[in-house]
Amino acid sequence: MDSIDFSMVSVFLFLTEWKCSELIHRRGTVSTHRSKPHEKNLFLQSLDPEQHLQMDDVDKGHIASQNAIPDEEIVQSLESSVQIWSDFSKVHFHPQSLYELSGLWMDAQDFDNYGIGKDAFSEGSRGEEMSDRLRFFVEECDHIQGIQFVVDDAGGFSSVAADFMEYIADEYAGTPVLLYAVRGPGSFMNSRSQKRSISRSLHDAVSFSRLSSLCRLFVPVGLPSLGTSKASTYLSIDDQKSYHCSAVYAAALHSLSLPSRMQLFGPTANINFCSGGMDMNGLAQTLAGQSRQNTIAILDAAMPAPLLTGNLYEQPMLQNLQPLTPETMDEVEDTQSVEALTIHGCLGSGMQNSPAHA
């Protein structure tokens, strides 16, 4: 989550031995310039009645009818008015969940390589403050399965994440760390200068080497053009809109991590609703393989999911899977690879919801 603060107030106090009569008073008017707060789009405005209905339990139908916004207008607002990630986020974040990386005097576009963010974690009290936020949630856990990282590794946040993960490796030794390195289509633009191209290649090499050494499983996610890829055959994706791309990647990561959120059943339990629950450590060990110890995994997805009828293994499920990991070759088959398949949101026979399986 890229958040850079560009405001700072500096106050200088000069202590002198002047007498009151020697003080020079400057006369003049003081003007205050205040920018307008970022206005909520229709999507965020439509969430307010939902929040109100959750708090109050009186005359819900009347309030909902008064504040109802047509779905067509909400969709149009998302298509035309999204400027930052919070414009399309419905999640209520805990105050400890967000940390603003302040004090960096540059635009977000300039915070674009591993070296420029190398000392961002260790400067001042940033590292300690970020660690305290993580410790707050760890202490709330009865048993911690592991830690999942979603990192934009295309710029300076790659080195920030590396330093943070190094702290985790020391502080929470033995805790599995799963890393999803997610990039937007804009990070794959060709550089016009050779110097820029070499710098980008060096960044990718250093970032990949550093991050992959600090996690149990590394999953690169993000195509140069999601809208023109086979993964969007049945989807209408505009690469210029972060709302579109992030929706697809978020849905894929949600399904991938589903086994760790499923209840672990015994051999005699009823599995009509879900099966295949597995903790994060088990998932990482399964994909890594016992003999090869793979660290890198490829993420494939099929959206929307095909119908499930008859024998699962006779269905074209695997044929519909398309890679969301860049620079993968479909025609190359690894006979020693290990796969984990999560089926989520499918329709079975009679167009009924199918159980979740992993």
Side-chain angles (χ1 to χ4, degrees), residues 113-296:
N113 63 73
Y114 190 92
I116 205 167
K118 187 66 179 69
D119 298 325
F121 180 82
S122 58
E123 283 183 356
S125 59
R126 291 189 191 129
E128 182 178 353
E129 292 173 355
M130 294 172 64
S131 303
D132 288 341
R133 279 166 161 73
L134 174 63
R135 188 179 299 109
F136 172 84
F137 292 104
V138 170
E139 292 175 352
E140 294 291 319
C141 298
D142 295 330
H143 170 68
I144 180 171
Q145 287 192 33
I147 299 174
Q148 295 186 104
F149 270 83
V150 181
V151 178
D152 179 5
D153 69 331
F157 286 96
S158 174
S159 53
V160 176
D163 291 340
F164 196 15
M165 292 169 64
E166 185 176 13
Y167 159 80
I168 291 175
D170 295 335
E171 188 73 13
Y172 305 99
T175 301
V177 175
L178 275 64
L179 173 63
Y180 307 105
V182 183
R183 296 188 178 188
S187 61
F188 292 92
M189 293 182 178
N190 295 327
S191 302
R192 297 182 179 180
S193 64
Q194 183 179 10
K195 180 179 179 180
R196 181 72 174 176
S197 178
I198 294 175
S199 175
R200 172 54 51 185
S201 298
L202 289 174
H203 165 83
D204 291 343
V206 174
S207 175
F208 178 82
S209 175
R210 183 70 174 139
L211 292 175
S212 61
S213 66
L214 295 169
C215 61
R216 187 73 59 86
L217 196 66
F218 185 100
V219 186
V221 181
L223 300 176
S225 177
L226 180 61
T228 59
S229 66
K230 294 182 179 179
S232 299
T233 303
Y234 304 104
L235 302 174
S236 178
I237 302 295
D238 185 351
D239 289 332
Q240 301 301 320
K241 298 178 179 178
S242 57
Y243 166 65
H244 287 194
C245 300
S246 63
V248 174
Y249 296 144
L253 296 183
H254 174 78
S255 297
L256 173 62
S257 59
L258 180 62
S260 64
R261 300 191 301 275
M262 296 167 62
Q263 184 176 353
L264 301 179
F265 294 100
T268 60
N270 185 353
I271 57 174
N272 290 331
F273 298 100
C274 60
S275 63
M278 183 183 303
D279 60 19
M280 290 179 58
N281 186 49
L283 178 63
Q285 287 185 344
T286 299
L287 292 176
Q290 298 299 325
S291 58
R292 302 179 65 182
Q293 289 298 312
N294 299 318
T295 305
I296 313 302

Side-chain angles (χ1 to χ4, degrees), residues 49-65:
E50 296 181 16
Q51 298 171 7
H52 185 73
L53 291 175
Q54 292 174 358
M55 294 183 293
D56 298 334
D57 198 20
V58 293
D59 200 8
K60 295 183 178 181
H62 177 68
I63 297 176
S65 61

Side-chain angles (χ1 to χ4, degrees), residues 98-115:
L98 303 178
Y99 180 78
E100 188 174 353
L101 196 63
S102 59
L104 300 177
W105 295 95
M106 64 188 70
D107 293 335
Q109 294 78 9
D110 297 329
F111 195 66
D112 61 349
N113 63 73
Y114 190 92

